[in-house]
Amino acid sequence: GGKGGLFFGESFTISNFSTTNKGSSRGLVTVNKGTIKNLTVNLTEDDWSFSMGSDESRWGTICGINSGRIENCRINGKIQAKSSSSSTYRGYLGGICGENTSNGVISFCTIDGNFDLQQIDYAGAVAGYNSGTIEYVGARYTETGGSWYGLACSYGAISNSYAIGNYSDFSRISNTNITNCYYINTYGSSPYGK
């Protein structure tokens, strides 16, 4: 369900995690309106393999939608997602959250993942869609399939962060506020910073 208030992970690790929530927002919690911090989630392909079935869903490991704060969390492992229809699915999928809203802040988090995406339209290592703030975040990943947006498909702010992967960029959206960030494309192109 939705989460308000404060959730301390106490630096514990959640493993063998899967979710049975069938709604349009899916994750450890569906909607975060409080603070989630100091948590590690380890995923395997069997844990987080699913079909996204209806337009405009938001799916992430920590939460589907973040309107609060997510701090000092780590995501490790594999996320495998595909559209349940033959057409490209217009949902939002992220390593931490599906959507980071204008009130949402994601900071001091790391993602080390393998994203296997089939016909997913908006996907990013941190968030599928960002209109809030992403700061002090690091992501290392490999990505296959889908429409990949680096750290996030973003109209919000990204700062003091890095991305390393086979599609490494901060965001494909040109008007994103990006400061003090860099990415390295493991296909061999030169490192780039903003």
Side-chain angles (χ1 to χ4, degrees):
K3 170 69 181 169
L6 186 61
F7 176 84
F8 281 101
E10 298 293 339
S11 300
F12 282 102
T13 298
I14 295 175
S15 299
N16 302 316
F17 159 62
S18 62
T19 175
T20 58
N21 178 15
K22 302 299 184 184
S24 61
S25 179
R26 189 167 174 175
L28 183 62
V29 297
T30 55
V31 179
N32 175 46
K33 297 178 182 178
T35 298
I36 298 173
K37 62 190 303 183
N38 304 331
L39 179 67
T40 298
V41 180
N42 291 331
L43 301 171
T44 69
E45 182 175 341
D46 291 336
D47 294 337
W48 210 221
S49 178
F50 53 84
S51 294
M52 301 176 77
S54 63
D55 283 356
E56 305 305 321
S57 293
R58 277 84 168 145
W59 290 32
T61 304
I62 300 293
C63 60
I65 298 172
N66 179 48
S67 295
R69 300 187 67 90
I70 299 174
E71 303 174 0
N72 195 34
C73 291
R74 298 181 179 185
I75 309 300
N76 305 307
K78 182 168 185 176
I79 293 177
Q80 185 174 39
K82 64 181 179 179
S83 171
S84 60
S85 68
S86 59
S87 60
T88 298
Y89 173 75
R90 299 187 66 82
Y92 304 96
L93 182 141
I96 291 180
C97 67
E99 179 181 1
N100 190 43
T101 71
S102 59
N103 295 323
V105 177
I106 299 172
S107 61
F108 298 99
C109 294
T110 60
I111 300 93
D112 191 347
N114 180 355
F115 293 80
D116 182 4
L117 310 171
Q118 300 176 39
Q119 297 173 299
I120 306 300
D121 205 18
Y122 297 100
V126 179
Y129 183 85
N130 173 53
S131 57
T133 300
I134 296 172
E135 59 186 5
Y136 302 101
V137 168
R140 285 185 8 162
Y141 54 79
T142 57
E143 178 274 330
T144 56
S147 293
W148 188 250
Y149 283 85
L151 291 180
C153 173
S154 180
Y155 287 89
I158 302 175
S159 65
N160 302 298
S161 298
Y162 70 86
I164 301 172
N166 62 331
Y167 175 87
S168 286
D169 200 345
F170 312 114
S171 174
R172 289 183 183 173
I173 306 302
S174 61
N175 64 344
T176 301
N177 179 10
I178 299 173
T179 56
N180 197 30
C181 295
Y182 76 91
Y183 67 83
I184 297 174
N185 190 316
T186 54
Y187 277 160
S189 61
S190 300
Y192 178 75
K194 283 190 177 179

